[in-house]
């Protein structure tokens, strides 16, 4: 669904699991800082609002979005981390570099999740320009960081459901 039709900060919170004992890693790209700091703020606050404890949220910074995959793997391999949220912003430029970066990050994060069996959430904006990024980082279309945090919580709930004995 196009974000023009959906606010990223509006989501169902029905039956969210208890995450008070869960530990989250939030990885933040330093490229496009104005945007990624807003994404971090959204993800962090959303986790707190839905039961996560501040001391159970670890932040890691990476130089750019390309580095999110490896850093996510490092954190996902830790026994004390339950879910990883990767936040970045790759804005369309004059060249096709964004296509290569976006594909590599999406594939890399998917591979980390499959390899570790832990939720690894793609919270990377891929807008055409700075304004579109700001609109999705707390602006008129909500905050992708909020959506990423709720996705992590919901995936932990599904994981619990899948692996619990009936």
């Amino acid at each position: 669904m196009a974000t023009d039709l959906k606010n990223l900060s509006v989501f169902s919170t029905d039956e969210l699991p208890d995450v008070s004992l869960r530990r989250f890693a939030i990885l933040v790209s330093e490229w496009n800082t104005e945007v990624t700091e807003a994404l971090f703020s959204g993800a962090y606050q959303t986790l707190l609002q839905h039961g996560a404890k501040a001391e159970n949220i670890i932040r890691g910074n990476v130089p750019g979005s390309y580095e999110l995959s490896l850093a996510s793997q490092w954190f996902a391999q830790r026994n004390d981390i339950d879910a990883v949220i990767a936040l970045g912003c790759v804005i369309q430029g004059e060249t096709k570099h964004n296509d290569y970066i976006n594909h590599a990050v999406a594939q890399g994060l998917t591979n980390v999740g499959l390899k570790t069996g832990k939720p690894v959430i793609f919270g990377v904006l891929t807008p055409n320009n700075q304004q579109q990024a700001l609109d999705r980082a707390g602006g008129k279309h909500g905050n992708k960081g909020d959506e990423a945090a709720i996705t992590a919580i919901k995936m932990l709930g599904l994981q619990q459901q899948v692996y619990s004995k009936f």
Side-chain angles (χ1 to χ4, degrees):
M1 174 182 290
T3 17
D4 285 346
L5 305 176
K6 180 181 184 337
N7 187 307
L8 296 167
S9 297
V10 177
F11 33 75
S12 170
T13 57
D14 295 342
E15 300 182 26
L16 290 179
D18 177 10
V19 293
S20 61
L21 299 177
R22 299 299 198 124
R23 291 182 51 93
F24 298 86
I26 303 177
L27 301 173
V28 184
S29 170
E30 294 173 343
W31 198 260
N32 294 312
T33 303
E34 180 182 4
V35 174
T36 59
E37 286 301 319
L39 296 175
F40 171 76
S41 179
Y44 184 80
Q45 291 302 320
T46 298
L47 288 174
L48 293 177
Q49 289 170 6
H50 294 284
K53 296 180 181 172
E55 61 268 20
N56 290 339
I57 302 171
I58 301 169
R59 177 183 171 142
N61 293 331
V62 297
S65 291
Y66 187 81
E67 291 75 29
L68 287 168
S69 296
L70 180 57
S72 292
Q73 180 171 299
W74 291 339
F75 277 95
Q77 287 175 334
R78 287 178 47 168
N79 290 331
D80 65 334
I81 297 295
D82 297 300
V84 176
I85 300 169
L87 303 175
C89 177
V90 183
I91 298 174
Q92 171 77 41
E94 295 179 4
T95 66
K96 293 183 144 239
H97 85 282
N98 66 302
D99 292 335
Y100 300 108
I101 299 296
N102 294 338
H103 178 77
V105 174
Q107 189 65 52
L109 294 176
T110 298
N111 288 341
V112 173
L114 292 172
K115 178 180 176 180
T116 63
K118 293 182 179 180
V120 177
I121 308 305
F122 183 87
V124 179
L125 292 175
T126 59
N128 292 320
N129 57 55
Q130 179 77 9
Q131 188 57 55
Q132 285 181 347
L134 294 170
D135 288 346
R136 290 155 180 81
K140 68 181 182 179
H141 294 300
N143 192 319
K144 180 74 171 174
D146 297 351
E147 180 191 55
I150 285 293
T151 300
I153 292 170
K154 288 183 174 188
M155 288 302 291
L156 286 171
L158 180 60
Q159 181 186 51
Q160 183 178 343
Q161 176 187 345
V162 167
Y163 290 110
S164 67
K165 295 183 180 182
F166 293 94

